[in-house]
Amino acid sequence: MRKPFLQLALAKAKDLPPKPFQTTLTATSSWPFTIDRPASPTRPTRIAVLDSSFNPPTKAHYQLLKAAARVGCDAVLLLLATNNVDKGQTGAGAVERLEMMEAVAIDSIRNEKEDPALRHMAVGLTIHARFMDKAQPILDSYPANTVQLSWIMGHDTMTRLFDPKYYNDVHADMAPFFEQCDVICSSRPGYGTRDEMLKFVEASGHSKKVTLVDIPDDDDEEEQKVGALAIEGEGRRAETTTAMMTTRTNARGIQVKEMSSTVVRGAIKSQDWTLVDRCVHPSVRQLIEKNGLYVD
């Protein structure tokens, strides 16, 4: 049983002094490094970090990870901020969320057909709320300059990250963050178009540190190949392939981009298990049912 171990990890995050970052599960004992890719300051290991409430983790989360793998990441970290759970959000507790995150990670690690970066996955905890505060404890956990963090986020989160109201000078204040971090960003329905994202990134002064990606649907291998083309720099070809993907996924129902934890929680309350199965992996559904989550 993992619950006692996860409860201990959460207790360490609340100790005085608290543990600002810790992993609860890693693909290997040397994670994020491998025998072929040991710790090296000349070629830092690039970790794609997906920081979310995972309430619950969905296929949209996983497709963000696949998009990150396609742009050159070496390892993946699913990160849960304890403050996200402590603020009275509805749904699962921290232990249950970690259980579901670990289920997703284990499925990916064991999938021999998966991208190597997605098989090299870890699950972790942070006590911090801001990206700038979360980054340093992770970086400090490994030899200096051997790790580069690529933070995966949607357009809405990126907008908050670059919001001038949080800084005296957004460009200057964020410069230390971008020394060992970059951003992988995907559009989300209702949160702006790709062109709006591009304008926003350019205005931030850190456009070289942001990679824009599109999320493909997860049910069709050809669509995944098409989706891989729909990244920044493909111009008209990207727009065309994205339109093709949208047409195909609409024919089957909800698109991956439209999936969210909120949709899943609503589907469970209405007992729409077909929609639940469309949005989450089988191992996550099993834990949802086992723990009786989201029924109230």
Side-chain angles (χ1 to χ4, degrees):
M1 293 290 290
R2 295 283 296 172
K3 277 192 175 181
F5 173 80
L6 297 176
Q7 288 167 342
L8 179 61
L10 286 164
K12 289 181 179 179
K14 297 178 181 179
D15 282 345
L16 293 175
K19 195 170 185 178
F21 168 71
Q22 60 186 307
T23 55
T24 68
L25 176 77
T26 57
T28 63
S29 59
S30 62
W31 188 95
F33 312 112
T34 64
I35 295 176
D36 296 331
R37 289 289 311 280
S40 170
T42 58
R43 205 304 193 176
T45 294
R46 189 181 183 191
I47 304 174
V49 185
L50 181 55
D51 173 42
S52 178
S53 60
F54 296 107
N55 190 25
T58 70
K59 291 180 181 179
H61 287 123
Y62 198 75
Q63 289 304 308
L64 277 171
L65 299 178
K66 293 177 82 71
R70 282 194 295 272
V71 296
C73 292
D74 305 303
V76 169
L77 173 64
L78 303 182
L79 187 65
L80 179 69
T82 56
N83 65 297
N84 281 345
V85 185
D86 292 338
K87 288 184 178 179
Q89 292 186 357
T90 59
V95 170
E96 287 74 22
R97 297 187 201 191
L98 286 168
E99 280 189 302
M100 291 186 285
M101 292 163 66
E102 289 191 351
V104 171
I106 291 170
D107 286 347
S108 191
I109 291 167
R110 292 175 176 173
N111 186 352
E112 296 182 358
K113 296 181 180 180
E114 192 52 274
D115 185 284
L118 292 173
R119 298 194 67 202
H120 200 44
M121 192 178 293
V123 174
L125 276 170
T126 179
I127 65 171
H128 294 294
R130 297 195 314 163
F131 285 100
M132 296 178 70
D133 298 327
K134 293 172 184 177
Q136 198 57 52
I138 299 175
L139 295 168
D140 290 343
S141 298
Y142 307 103
N145 302 314
T146 61
V147 165
Q148 175 85 18
L149 303 180
S150 295
W151 295 88
I152 308 171
M153 60 188 71
H155 185 199
D156 54 329
T157 303
M158 185 182 69
T159 300
R160 293 195 299 272
L161 176 67
F162 287 117
D163 194 329
K165 73 180 182 182
Y166 298 119
Y167 311 95
N168 293 321
D169 182 325
V170 63
H171 186 270
D173 291 350
M174 293 200 69
F177 172 81
F178 281 118
E179 286 181 5
Q180 290 183 281
C181 295
D182 59 85
V183 171
I184 298 173
C185 183
S186 170
S187 60
R188 289 185 60 188
Y191 289 98
T193 65
R194 170 175 285 271
D195 287 341
E196 289 171 337
M197 289 171 65
L198 280 171
K199 291 178 182 178
F200 186 84
V201 171
E202 290 169 357
S204 75
H206 293 286
S207 58
K208 293 182 179 180
K209 287 289 188 174
V210 179
T211 302
L212 301 184
V213 297
D214 285 327
I215 307 176
D217 189 78
D218 65 339
D219 287 342
D220 188 284
E221 183 177 356
E222 183 60 30
E223 285 177 8
Q224 291 186 27
K225 294 177 182 177
V226 169
L229 298 175
I231 60 175
E232 180 53 29
E234 292 291 339
R236 185 176 298 175
R237 185 181 184 186
E239 294 176 6
T240 301
T241 53
T242 302
M244 291 167 59
M245 288 166 50
T246 300
T247 300
R248 291 174 185 167
T249 54
N250 275 341
R252 289 197 305 275
I254 187 171
Q255 299 180 62
V256 172
K257 284 185 178 182
E258 297 169 331
M259 294 176 185
S260 69
S261 299
T262 303
V263 168
V264 176
R265 294 195 300 269
I268 293 170
K269 288 182 179 179
S270 64
Q271 296 294 296
D272 186 350
W273 291 102
T274 299
L275 180 56
V276 173
D277 288 338
R278 170 66 179 145
C279 293
V280 304
H281 291 100
S283 58
V284 172
R285 173 177 170 167
Q286 289 174 8
L287 286 169
I288 289 172
E289 291 187 289
K290 175 185 176 182
N291 291 317
L293 302 178
Y294 313 119
V295 293
D296 297 327

